[in-house]
Structures are given as structure tokens and as C-alpha cells.
Amino acid sequence: MPIYLQGKQVPWGWTKEVEALIAKQVRGYCVHLCSGDSEIGDIRVDLYARSHSNWFEDVRDLSLPSEFADTVVCDPPYNYGRAGVEAACVFHSIRILKPGGRLLWYHFNVPYEQALELEQLWVYPNKTQPFYRFLSQHKKIQRSLSSA
């Protein structure tokens, strides 16, 4: 299924099927990093003023408190011109998650971090690009270093 933004087909983003699956996996208080036009999340963080974001900030300088979210959803941008965004997304996802919290990560890679345990993995072929996208669900298994 093609993905559209403002009437134009785009090679990034997720389908309604993926949005529904992510929404079903959210538990408790949810922060959605790089939320774009998604309505998932109590706090929806994006750098750009979008119709459904309610917290406008660069994830590289995220000011949200540590260990307060039950779920973090993240679909990092695929724009390689924004250096450090993907690493910042992983770092801040772990930092703001409560111990035992859930990270839902949608990207063409799966984060591997000592603080995370992979619980589930869904694979989605990308019909407009020559790669797959993964939705990975992780559990935070240790406290953040910044809050230890």
C-alpha cells in the first residue's frame, strides 16, 4: 500500500496497518519521537510543526525527563543530512523509558543496546525502496546510566 502525505506518494512513513499494530502495542503513558503526522502518543515530539505533534523539539536535544514513559514509539527520519538523529533517538528512547517500559522502533535496522531486550519483530517489505523495514518491540531491562 503506497503512503501519501499531502496528496503525494512518499517512500517513507508507515501504512495504516503498521499504525494500527503500533497503537495496539502501546501500554500506559506514551511518548512518540519523530511523530510527524501520527496521532499515536500522549506526547508527540517532532522538530517541525505538524498537524498532530504537540511537542516541538529536536530529538538530539530532547528535554523530557528521564524514566517517565511506559512506552516510547520512534520512527527516526531517513534523512542522512541530519547527523546523529538515529543515535539520539536510541539514547533518548532508553533514557525516558521507565525500567520495564516498551520501545516500539520502526526503521530499516533494529537497535541493539545492552539496556534493551528484543521481545518481538515484524518485517515489512518496502515497495518503493530496495530494503525492508522492521517494527521491533523491546523491553527496557536496566536503569539508564544517566539515572543510576
mmCIF file of all heavy atoms in Angstrom, residues 101-145:
data_model
loop_
_atom_site.group_PDB
_atom_site.id
_atom_site.type_symbol
_atom_site.label_atom_id
_atom_site.label_comp_id
_atom_site.label_asym_id
_atom_site.label_seq_id
_atom_site.Cartn_x
_atom_site.Cartn_y
_atom_site.Cartn_z
ATOM 1 N N GLY A 101 9.750 -0.660 30.690
ATOM 2 C CA GLY A 101 8.973 0.009 29.647
ATOM 3 C C GLY A 101 9.221 -0.585 28.274
ATOM 4 O O GLY A 101 10.134 -1.383 28.067
ATOM 5 N N ARG A 102 8.397 -0.183 27.334
ATOM 6 C CA ARG A 102 8.388 -0.754 25.986
ATOM 7 C C ARG A 102 8.827 0.272 24.951
ATOM 8 O O ARG A 102 8.317 1.384 24.916
ATOM 9 C CB ARG A 102 6.969 -1.221 25.686
ATOM 10 C CG ARG A 102 6.769 -1.803 24.312
ATOM 11 C CD ARG A 102 5.364 -2.340 24.171
ATOM 12 N NE ARG A 102 5.268 -3.580 24.924
ATOM 13 C CZ ARG A 102 4.177 -4.325 25.006
ATOM 14 N NH1 ARG A 102 3.073 -3.937 24.409
ATOM 15 N NH2 ARG A 102 4.177 -5.437 25.690
ATOM 16 N N LEU A 103 9.771 -0.141 24.104
ATOM 17 C CA LEU A 103 10.184 0.659 22.949
ATOM 18 C C LEU A 103 9.647 -0.005 21.688
ATOM 19 O O LEU A 103 9.875 -1.195 21.459
ATOM 20 C CB LEU A 103 11.709 0.751 22.861
ATOM 21 C CG LEU A 103 12.275 1.365 21.574
ATOM 22 C CD1 LEU A 103 11.810 2.817 21.388
ATOM 23 C CD2 LEU A 103 13.796 1.279 21.560
ATOM 24 N N LEU A 104 8.935 0.764 20.880
ATOM 25 C CA LEU A 104 8.468 0.325 19.566
ATOM 26 C C LEU A 104 9.248 1.130 18.539
ATOM 27 O O LEU A 104 9.097 2.353 18.450
ATOM 28 C CB LEU A 104 6.960 0.545 19.426
ATOM 29 C CG LEU A 104 6.115 -0.252 20.424
ATOM 30 C CD1 LEU A 104 4.696 0.271 20.465
ATOM 31 C CD2 LEU A 104 6.148 -1.729 20.089
ATOM 32 N N TRP A 105 10.098 0.461 17.773
ATOM 33 C CA TRP A 105 11.058 1.095 16.866
ATOM 34 C C TRP A 105 10.734 0.657 15.446
ATOM 35 O O TRP A 105 10.727 -0.536 15.142
ATOM 36 C CB TRP A 105 12.461 0.642 17.262
ATOM 37 C CG TRP A 105 13.577 1.185 16.452
ATOM 38 C CD1 TRP A 105 14.112 0.627 15.323
ATOM 39 C CD2 TRP A 105 14.337 2.366 16.708
ATOM 40 N NE1 TRP A 105 15.147 1.396 14.860
ATOM 41 C CE2 TRP A 105 15.307 2.471 15.703
ATOM 42 C CE3 TRP A 105 14.285 3.352 17.693
ATOM 43 C CZ2 TRP A 105 16.221 3.516 15.657
ATOM 44 C CZ3 TRP A 105 15.187 4.389 17.652
ATOM 45 C CH2 TRP A 105 16.146 4.464 16.640
ATOM 46 N N TYR A 106 10.480 1.619 14.549
ATOM 47 C CA TYR A 106 10.164 1.316 13.144
ATOM 48 C C TYR A 106 11.234 1.940 12.275
ATOM 49 O O TYR A 106 11.363 3.161 12.191
ATOM 50 C CB TYR A 106 8.783 1.873 12.795
ATOM 51 C CG TYR A 106 8.310 1.491 11.415
ATOM 52 C CD1 TYR A 106 7.929 0.180 11.121
ATOM 53 C CD2 TYR A 106 8.225 2.425 10.397
ATOM 54 C CE1 TYR A 106 7.484 -0.180 9.863
ATOM 55 C CE2 TYR A 106 7.781 2.078 9.135
ATOM 56 C CZ TYR A 106 7.414 0.781 8.868
ATOM 57 O OH TYR A 106 6.974 0.428 7.615
ATOM 58 N N HIS A 107 12.037 1.088 11.645
ATOM 59 C CA HIS A 107 13.167 1.592 10.863
ATOM 60 C C HIS A 107 13.689 0.455 9.988
ATOM 61 O O HIS A 107 13.161 -0.658 10.017
ATOM 62 C CB HIS A 107 14.251 2.082 11.816
ATOM 63 C CG HIS A 107 15.191 3.100 11.233
ATOM 64 N ND1 HIS A 107 14.787 4.178 10.490
ATOM 65 C CD2 HIS A 107 16.532 3.214 11.313
ATOM 66 C CE1 HIS A 107 15.824 4.910 10.144
ATOM 67 N NE2 HIS A 107 16.906 4.332 10.621
ATOM 68 N N PHE A 108 14.745 0.723 9.231
ATOM 69 C CA PHE A 108 15.335 -0.351 8.426
ATOM 70 C C PHE A 108 16.445 -1.072 9.179
ATOM 71 O O PHE A 108 17.156 -1.899 8.624
ATOM 72 C CB PHE A 108 15.818 0.141 7.056
ATOM 73 C CG PHE A 108 16.788 1.292 7.106
ATOM 74 C CD1 PHE A 108 18.123 1.074 7.335
ATOM 75 C CD2 PHE A 108 16.348 2.587 6.910
ATOM 76 C CE1 PHE A 108 19.016 2.120 7.376
ATOM 77 C CE2 PHE A 108 17.237 3.642 6.950
ATOM 78 C CZ PHE A 108 18.569 3.408 7.187
ATOM 79 N N ASN A 109 16.595 -0.770 10.461
ATOM 80 C CA ASN A 109 17.500 -1.529 11.318
ATOM 81 C C ASN A 109 16.818 -1.758 12.659
ATOM 82 O O ASN A 109 15.777 -1.180 12.943
ATOM 83 C CB ASN A 109 18.845 -0.819 11.496
ATOM 84 C CG ASN A 109 18.693 0.515 12.184
ATOM 85 O OD1 ASN A 109 17.808 0.715 12.999
ATOM 86 N ND2 ASN A 109 19.550 1.455 11.846
ATOM 87 N N VAL A 110 17.412 -2.618 13.470
ATOM 88 C CA VAL A 110 16.880 -2.930 14.792
ATOM 89 C C VAL A 110 17.941 -2.540 15.812
ATOM 90 O O VAL A 110 19.076 -3.005 15.722
ATOM 91 C CB VAL A 110 16.557 -4.443 14.910
ATOM 92 C CG1 VAL A 110 16.096 -4.799 16.305
ATOM 93 C CG2 VAL A 110 15.518 -4.843 13.864
ATOM 94 N N PRO A 111 17.606 -1.661 16.775
ATOM 95 C CA PRO A 111 18.626 -1.259 17.740
ATOM 96 C C PRO A 111 19.057 -2.427 18.625
ATOM 97 O O PRO A 111 18.238 -3.243 19.040
ATOM 98 C CB PRO A 111 17.946 -0.166 18.563
ATOM 99 C CG PRO A 111 16.498 -0.373 18.377
ATOM 100 C CD PRO A 111 16.318 -1.029 17.043
ATOM 101 N N TYR A 112 20.347 -2.491 18.870
ATOM 102 C CA TYR A 112 20.893 -3.484 19.785
ATOM 103 C C TYR A 112 21.618 -2.729 20.875
ATOM 104 O O TYR A 112 22.671 -2.135 20.639
ATOM 105 C CB TYR A 112 21.844 -4.429 19.054
ATOM 106 C CG TYR A 112 22.494 -5.429 19.977
ATOM 107 C CD1 TYR A 112 21.777 -6.520 20.437
ATOM 108 C CD2 TYR A 112 23.792 -5.257 20.415
ATOM 109 C CE1 TYR A 112 22.345 -7.432 21.310
ATOM 110 C CE2 TYR A 112 24.378 -6.158 21.288
ATOM 111 C CZ TYR A 112 23.647 -7.242 21.732
ATOM 112 O OH TYR A 112 24.213 -8.133 22.597
ATOM 113 N N GLU A 113 21.038 -2.709 22.044
ATOM 114 C CA GLU A 113 21.601 -1.988 23.183
ATOM 115 C C GLU A 113 21.508 -2.875 24.411
ATOM 116 O O GLU A 113 20.543 -3.616 24.584
ATOM 117 C CB GLU A 113 20.824 -0.686 23.432
ATOM 118 C CG GLU A 113 20.938 0.333 22.327
ATOM 119 C CD GLU A 113 22.329 0.931 22.200
ATOM 120 O OE1 GLU A 113 23.041 1.022 23.221
ATOM 121 O OE2 GLU A 113 22.705 1.294 21.079
ATOM 122 N N GLN A 114 22.480 -2.765 25.282
ATOM 123 C CA GLN A 114 22.532 -3.567 26.496
ATOM 124 C C GLN A 114 21.303 -3.360 27.380
ATOM 125 O O GLN A 114 20.859 -4.276 28.059
ATOM 126 C CB GLN A 114 23.799 -3.234 27.273
ATOM 127 C CG GLN A 114 24.066 -4.146 28.437
ATOM 128 C CD GLN A 114 25.421 -3.854 29.077
ATOM 129 O OE1 GLN A 114 26.115 -2.914 28.699
ATOM 130 N NE2 GLN A 114 25.784 -4.664 30.042
ATOM 131 N N ALA A 115 20.733 -2.159 27.353
ATOM 132 C CA ALA A 115 19.588 -1.839 28.201
ATOM 133 C C ALA A 115 18.265 -2.366 27.649
ATOM 134 O O ALA A 115 17.236 -2.251 28.312
ATOM 135 C CB ALA A 115 19.492 -0.330 28.387
ATOM 136 N N LEU A 116 18.292 -2.941 26.456
ATOM 137 C CA LEU A 116 17.056 -3.381 25.806
ATOM 138 C C LEU A 116 17.062 -4.886 25.544
ATOM 139 O O LEU A 116 18.080 -5.453 25.168
ATOM 140 C CB LEU A 116 16.871 -2.665 24.468
ATOM 141 C CG LEU A 116 16.732 -1.155 24.495
ATOM 142 C CD1 LEU A 116 16.715 -0.605 23.072
ATOM 143 C CD2 LEU A 116 15.478 -0.740 25.248
ATOM 144 N N GLU A 117 15.888 -5.471 25.687
ATOM 145 C CA GLU A 117 15.694 -6.878 25.329
ATOM 146 C C GLU A 117 14.658 -6.936 24.210
ATOM 147 O O GLU A 117 13.546 -6.419 24.357
ATOM 148 C CB GLU A 117 15.185 -7.633 26.547
ATOM 149 C CG GLU A 117 14.876 -9.093 26.305
ATOM 150 C CD GLU A 117 14.353 -9.746 27.572
ATOM 151 O OE1 GLU A 117 15.186 -10.101 28.422
ATOM 152 O OE2 GLU A 117 13.112 -9.865 27.708
ATOM 153 N N LEU A 118 15.027 -7.546 23.094
ATOM 154 C CA LEU A 118 14.099 -7.673 21.967
ATOM 155 C C LEU A 118 13.000 -8.669 22.328
ATOM 156 O O LEU A 118 13.286 -9.801 22.723
ATOM 157 C CB LEU A 118 14.843 -8.136 20.714
ATOM 158 C CG LEU A 118 14.008 -8.290 19.449
ATOM 159 C CD1 LEU A 118 13.438 -6.956 19.000
ATOM 160 C CD2 LEU A 118 14.854 -8.911 18.338
ATOM 161 N N GLU A 119 11.744 -8.236 22.201
ATOM 162 C CA GLU A 119 10.610 -9.103 22.522
ATOM 163 C C GLU A 119 9.901 -9.622 21.275
ATOM 164 O O GLU A 119 9.505 -10.784 21.239
ATOM 165 C CB GLU A 119 9.593 -8.356 23.389
ATOM 166 C CG GLU A 119 10.121 -8.001 24.761
ATOM 167 C CD GLU A 119 9.067 -7.343 25.628
ATOM 168 O OE1 GLU A 119 8.360 -6.432 25.146
ATOM 169 O OE2 GLU A 119 8.956 -7.758 26.782
ATOM 170 N N GLN A 120 9.712 -8.758 20.287
ATOM 171 C CA GLN A 120 9.026 -9.157 19.058
ATOM 172 C C GLN A 120 9.617 -8.386 17.887
ATOM 173 O O GLN A 120 10.133 -7.288 18.052
ATOM 174 C CB GLN A 120 7.522 -8.860 19.124
ATOM 175 C CG GLN A 120 6.783 -9.751 20.076
ATOM 176 C CD GLN A 120 5.272 -9.566 19.954
ATOM 177 O OE1 GLN A 120 4.773 -8.650 19.304
ATOM 178 N NE2 GLN A 120 4.520 -10.436 20.574
ATOM 179 N N LEU A 121 9.472 -8.975 16.696
ATOM 180 C CA LEU A 121 9.976 -8.345 15.479
ATOM 181 C C LEU A 121 9.017 -8.638 14.331
ATOM 182 O O LEU A 121 8.649 -9.782 14.096
ATOM 183 C CB LEU A 121 11.374 -8.887 15.145
ATOM 184 C CG LEU A 121 12.052 -8.303 13.907
ATOM 185 C CD1 LEU A 121 12.387 -6.835 14.121
ATOM 186 C CD2 LEU A 121 13.325 -9.092 13.599
ATOM 187 N N TRP A 122 8.602 -7.581 13.646
ATOM 188 C CA TRP A 122 7.773 -7.697 12.452
ATOM 189 C C TRP A 122 8.587 -7.157 11.288
ATOM 190 O O TRP A 122 9.300 -6.158 11.417
ATOM 191 C CB TRP A 122 6.494 -6.871 12.583
ATOM 192 C CG TRP A 122 5.567 -7.320 13.667
ATOM 193 C CD1 TRP A 122 4.522 -8.182 13.553
ATOM 194 C CD2 TRP A 122 5.569 -6.894 15.042
ATOM 195 N NE1 TRP A 122 3.879 -8.328 14.761
ATOM 196 C CE2 TRP A 122 4.503 -7.555 15.697
ATOM 197 C CE3 TRP A 122 6.376 -6.031 15.796
ATOM 198 C CZ2 TRP A 122 4.219 -7.370 17.040
ATOM 199 C CZ3 TRP A 122 6.108 -5.846 17.147
ATOM 200 C CH2 TRP A 122 5.038 -6.510 17.753
ATOM 201 N N VAL A 123 8.486 -7.796 10.116
ATOM 202 C CA VAL A 123 9.244 -7.397 8.932
ATOM 203 C C VAL A 123 8.261 -6.954 7.851
ATOM 204 O O VAL A 123 7.297 -7.653 7.550
ATOM 205 C CB VAL A 123 10.110 -8.569 8.407
ATOM 206 C CG1 VAL A 123 10.901 -8.136 7.174
ATOM 207 C CG2 VAL A 123 11.040 -9.082 9.500
ATOM 208 N N TYR A 124 8.547 -5.779 7.279
ATOM 209 C CA TYR A 124 7.693 -5.215 6.232
ATOM 210 C C TYR A 124 8.519 -4.925 4.987
ATOM 211 O O TYR A 124 9.471 -4.150 5.050
ATOM 212 C CB TYR A 124 7.041 -3.906 6.705
ATOM 213 C CG TYR A 124 6.059 -4.115 7.817
ATOM 214 C CD1 TYR A 124 6.456 -4.030 9.145
ATOM 215 C CD2 TYR A 124 4.734 -4.425 7.544
ATOM 216 C CE1 TYR A 124 5.548 -4.235 10.175
ATOM 217 C CE2 TYR A 124 3.829 -4.630 8.569
ATOM 218 C CZ TYR A 124 4.247 -4.542 9.877
ATOM 219 O OH TYR A 124 3.356 -4.753 10.885
ATOM 220 N N PRO A 125 8.164 -5.533 3.847
ATOM 221 C CA PRO A 125 8.863 -5.163 2.615
ATOM 222 C C PRO A 125 8.493 -3.740 2.227
ATOM 223 O O PRO A 125 7.379 -3.288 2.456
ATOM 224 C CB PRO A 125 8.351 -6.163 1.589
ATOM 225 C CG PRO A 125 7.084 -6.705 2.148
ATOM 226 C CD PRO A 125 7.141 -6.541 3.636
ATOM 227 N N ASN A 126 9.454 -3.018 1.672
ATOM 228 C CA ASN A 126 9.227 -1.658 1.207
ATOM 229 C C ASN A 126 9.047 -1.716 -0.305
ATOM 230 O O ASN A 126 9.974 -2.063 -1.022
ATOM 231 C CB ASN A 126 10.417 -0.776 1.594
ATOM 232 C CG ASN A 126 10.177 0.672 1.278
ATOM 233 O OD1 ASN A 126 9.461 1.000 0.334
ATOM 234 N ND2 ASN A 126 10.766 1.547 2.054
ATOM 235 N N LYS A 127 7.888 -1.346 -0.764
ATOM 236 C CA LYS A 127 7.595 -1.472 -2.195
ATOM 237 C C LYS A 127 8.170 -0.335 -3.029
ATOM 238 O O LYS A 127 8.194 -0.417 -4.244
ATOM 239 C CB LYS A 127 6.090 -1.575 -2.386
ATOM 240 C CG LYS A 127 5.560 -2.852 -1.756
ATOM 241 C CD LYS A 127 4.074 -2.996 -1.897
ATOM 242 C CE LYS A 127 3.710 -4.349 -1.340
ATOM 243 N NZ LYS A 127 2.554 -4.398 -0.556
ATOM 244 N N THR A 128 8.649 0.734 -2.378
ATOM 245 C CA THR A 128 9.190 1.862 -3.140
ATOM 246 C C THR A 128 10.704 1.984 -3.013
ATOM 247 O O THR A 128 11.304 2.804 -3.688
ATOM 248 C CB THR A 128 8.547 3.195 -2.687
ATOM 249 O OG1 THR A 128 8.832 3.397 -1.301
ATOM 250 C CG2 THR A 128 7.048 3.187 -2.928
ATOM 251 N N GLN A 129 11.319 1.188 -2.135
ATOM 252 C CA GLN A 129 12.767 1.227 -1.927
ATOM 253 C C GLN A 129 13.283 -0.213 -1.825
ATOM 254 O O GLN A 129 12.546 -1.097 -1.427
ATOM 255 C CB GLN A 129 13.119 1.982 -0.641
ATOM 256 C CG GLN A 129 12.668 3.421 -0.618
ATOM 257 C CD GLN A 129 13.480 4.285 -1.551
ATOM 258 O OE1 GLN A 129 14.676 4.085 -1.715
ATOM 259 N NE2 GLN A 129 12.833 5.249 -2.182
ATOM 260 N N PRO A 130 14.573 -0.455 -2.136
ATOM 261 C CA PRO A 130 15.101 -1.824 -2.121
ATOM 262 C C PRO A 130 15.572 -2.289 -0.739
ATOM 263 O O PRO A 130 16.676 -2.772 -0.586
ATOM 264 C CB PRO A 130 16.270 -1.738 -3.103
ATOM 265 C CG PRO A 130 16.765 -0.344 -2.932
ATOM 266 C CD PRO A 130 15.528 0.489 -2.687
ATOM 267 N N PHE A 131 14.746 -2.105 0.288
ATOM 268 C CA PHE A 131 15.101 -2.601 1.619
ATOM 269 C C PHE A 131 13.825 -2.912 2.394
ATOM 270 O O PHE A 131 12.731 -2.559 1.987
ATOM 271 C CB PHE A 131 15.972 -1.599 2.382
ATOM 272 C CG PHE A 131 15.368 -0.223 2.537
ATOM 273 C CD1 PHE A 131 14.463 0.063 3.545
ATOM 274 C CD2 PHE A 131 15.727 0.791 1.667
ATOM 275 C CE1 PHE A 131 13.915 1.323 3.682
ATOM 276 C CE2 PHE A 131 15.188 2.063 1.799
ATOM 277 C CZ PHE A 131 14.276 2.324 2.811
ATOM 278 N N TYR A 132 13.997 -3.582 3.506
ATOM 279 C CA TYR A 132 12.882 -3.897 4.385
ATOM 280 C C TYR A 132 12.842 -2.897 5.535
ATOM 281 O O TYR A 132 13.847 -2.285 5.875
ATOM 282 C CB TYR A 132 13.038 -5.308 4.972
ATOM 283 C CG TYR A 132 12.794 -6.388 3.963
ATOM 284 C CD1 TYR A 132 13.822 -6.868 3.162
ATOM 285 C CD2 TYR A 132 11.531 -6.934 3.819
ATOM 286 C CE1 TYR A 132 13.594 -7.863 2.230
ATOM 287 C CE2 TYR A 132 11.285 -7.940 2.890
ATOM 288 C CZ TYR A 132 12.324 -8.393 2.101
ATOM 289 O OH TYR A 132 12.088 -9.369 1.187
ATOM 290 N N ARG A 133 11.682 -2.785 6.141
ATOM 291 C CA ARG A 133 11.549 -2.030 7.378
ATOM 292 C C ARG A 133 11.145 -3.017 8.463
ATOM 293 O O ARG A 133 10.449 -3.987 8.206
ATOM 294 C CB ARG A 133 10.488 -0.946 7.245
ATOM 295 C CG ARG A 133 10.946 0.132 6.299
ATOM 296 C CD ARG A 133 10.230 1.415 6.567
ATOM 297 N NE ARG A 133 10.653 2.366 5.556
ATOM 298 C CZ ARG A 133 9.834 3.123 4.882
ATOM 299 N NH1 ARG A 133 8.551 3.078 5.103
ATOM 300 N NH2 ARG A 133 10.299 3.960 3.984
ATOM 301 N N PHE A 134 11.608 -2.731 9.655
ATOM 302 C CA PHE A 134 11.334 -3.593 10.791
ATOM 303 C C PHE A 134 10.586 -2.810 11.853
ATOM 304 O O PHE A 134 10.908 -1.659 12.125
ATOM 305 C CB PHE A 134 12.642 -4.108 11.411
ATOM 306 C CG PHE A 134 13.503 -4.851 10.441
ATOM 307 C CD1 PHE A 134 14.537 -4.205 9.788
ATOM 308 C CD2 PHE A 134 13.277 -6.187 10.174
ATOM 309 C CE1 PHE A 134 15.345 -4.872 8.888
ATOM 310 C CE2 PHE A 134 14.076 -6.873 9.278
ATOM 311 C CZ PHE A 134 15.107 -6.219 8.627
ATOM 312 N N LEU A 135 9.609 -3.440 12.454
ATOM 313 C CA LEU A 135 9.000 -2.926 13.675
ATOM 314 C C LEU A 135 9.489 -3.848 14.772
ATOM 315 O O LEU A 135 9.184 -5.042 14.764
ATOM 316 C CB LEU A 135 7.472 -2.935 13.602
ATOM 317 C CG LEU A 135 6.755 -2.576 14.912
ATOM 318 C CD1 LEU A 135 7.162 -1.191 15.411
ATOM 319 C CD2 LEU A 135 5.249 -2.670 14.747
ATOM 320 N N SER A 136 10.301 -3.310 15.656
ATOM 321 C CA SER A 136 10.823 -4.115 16.750
ATOM 322 C C SER A 136 10.246 -3.613 18.065
ATOM 323 O O SER A 136 10.063 -2.414 18.265
ATOM 324 C CB SER A 136 12.355 -4.088 16.771
ATOM 325 O OG SER A 136 12.852 -2.770 16.800
ATOM 326 N N GLN A 137 9.932 -4.563 18.922
ATOM 327 C CA GLN A 137 9.408 -4.239 20.250
ATOM 328 C C GLN A 137 10.439 -4.702 21.271
ATOM 329 O O GLN A 137 10.844 -5.858 21.275
ATOM 330 C CB GLN A 137 8.083 -4.958 20.482
ATOM 331 C CG GLN A 137 7.504 -4.731 21.861
ATOM 332 C CD GLN A 137 6.187 -5.443 22.033
ATOM 333 O OE1 GLN A 137 5.257 -5.228 21.261
ATOM 334 N NE2 GLN A 137 6.100 -6.285 23.040
ATOM 335 N N HIS A 138 10.860 -3.765 22.112
ATOM 336 C CA HIS A 138 11.906 -4.023 23.102
ATOM 337 C C HIS A 138 11.384 -3.711 24.496
ATOM 338 O O HIS A 138 10.533 -2.841 24.667
ATOM 339 C CB HIS A 138 13.125 -3.125 22.855
ATOM 340 C CG HIS A 138 13.657 -3.204 21.476
ATOM 341 N ND1 HIS A 138 14.726 -3.993 21.135
ATOM 342 C CD2 HIS A 138 13.261 -2.595 20.330
ATOM 343 C CE1 HIS A 138 14.974 -3.856 19.843
ATOM 344 N NE2 HIS A 138 14.097 -3.015 19.336
ATOM 345 N N LYS A 139 11.954 -4.371 25.479
ATOM 346 C CA LYS A 139 11.675 -4.086 26.886
ATOM 347 C C LYS A 139 12.947 -3.506 27.493
ATOM 348 O O LYS A 139 14.045 -4.042 27.294
ATOM 349 C CB LYS A 139 11.291 -5.367 27.617
ATOM 350 C CG LYS A 139 11.020 -5.188 29.083
ATOM 351 C CD LYS A 139 10.641 -6.521 29.705
ATOM 352 C CE LYS A 139 10.403 -6.386 31.189
ATOM 353 N NZ LYS A 139 10.073 -7.701 31.776
ATOM 354 N N LYS A 140 12.799 -2.418 28.241
ATOM 355 C CA LYS A 140 13.956 -1.846 28.937
ATOM 356 C C LYS A 140 14.233 -2.709 30.162
ATOM 357 O O LYS A 140 13.382 -2.857 31.037
ATOM 358 C CB LYS A 140 13.686 -0.400 29.348
ATOM 359 C CG LYS A 140 14.876 0.241 30.031
ATOM 360 C CD LYS A 140 14.617 1.707 30.317
ATOM 361 C CE LYS A 140 15.761 2.325 31.084
ATOM 362 N NZ LYS A 140 15.511 3.743 31.357
ATOM 363 N N ILE A 141 15.434 -3.275 30.211
ATOM 364 C CA ILE A 141 15.739 -4.235 31.264
ATOM 365 C C ILE A 141 16.679 -3.702 32.337
ATOM 366 O O ILE A 141 16.976 -4.402 33.310
ATOM 367 C CB ILE A 141 16.320 -5.544 30.667
ATOM 368 C CG1 ILE A 141 17.557 -5.256 29.831
ATOM 369 C CG2 ILE A 141 15.250 -6.271 29.878
ATOM 370 C CD1 ILE A 141 18.268 -6.491 29.334
ATOM 371 N N GLN A 142 17.181 -2.485 32.161
ATOM 372 C CA GLN A 142 18.028 -1.896 33.201
ATOM 373 C C GLN A 142 17.813 -0.396 33.235
ATOM 374 O O GLN A 142 17.312 0.189 32.294
ATOM 375 C CB GLN A 142 19.491 -2.218 32.986
ATOM 376 C CG GLN A 142 20.105 -1.576 31.748
ATOM 377 C CD GLN A 142 21.538 -2.021 31.534
ATOM 378 O OE1 GLN A 142 21.876 -3.174 31.756
ATOM 379 N NE2 GLN A 142 22.387 -1.117 31.097
ATOM 380 N N ARG A 143 18.187 0.185 34.359
ATOM 381 C CA ARG A 143 18.058 1.638 34.508
ATOM 382 C C ARG A 143 19.012 2.345 33.554
ATOM 383 O O ARG A 143 20.070 1.823 33.225
ATOM 384 C CB ARG A 143 18.332 2.046 35.936
ATOM 385 C CG ARG A 143 17.320 1.475 36.916
ATOM 386 C CD ARG A 143 17.549 1.981 38.313
ATOM 387 N NE ARG A 143 17.295 3.404 38.420
ATOM 388 C CZ ARG A 143 16.110 3.949 38.650
ATOM 389 N NH1 ARG A 143 15.052 3.176 38.765
ATOM 390 N NH2 ARG A 143 15.973 5.262 38.774
ATOM 391 N N SER A 144 18.659 3.559 33.174
ATOM 392 C CA SER A 144 19.525 4.380 32.340
ATOM 393 C C SER A 144 20.778 4.734 33.112
ATOM 394 O O SER A 144 20.733 4.940 34.323
ATOM 395 C CB SER A 144 18.821 5.669 31.932
ATOM 396 O OG SER A 144 17.662 5.377 31.193
ATOM 397 N N LEU A 145 21.895 4.833 32.420
ATOM 398 C CA LEU A 145 23.139 5.226 33.072
ATOM 399 C C LEU A 145 23.026 6.607 33.690
ATOM 400 O O LEU A 145 23.569 6.889 34.731
ATOM 401 C CB LEU A 145 24.293 5.184 32.069
ATOM 402 C CG LEU A 145 24.659 3.800 31.549
ATOM 403 C CD1 LEU A 145 25.745 3.911 30.497
ATOM 404 C CD2 LEU A 145 25.119 2.898 32.688
#
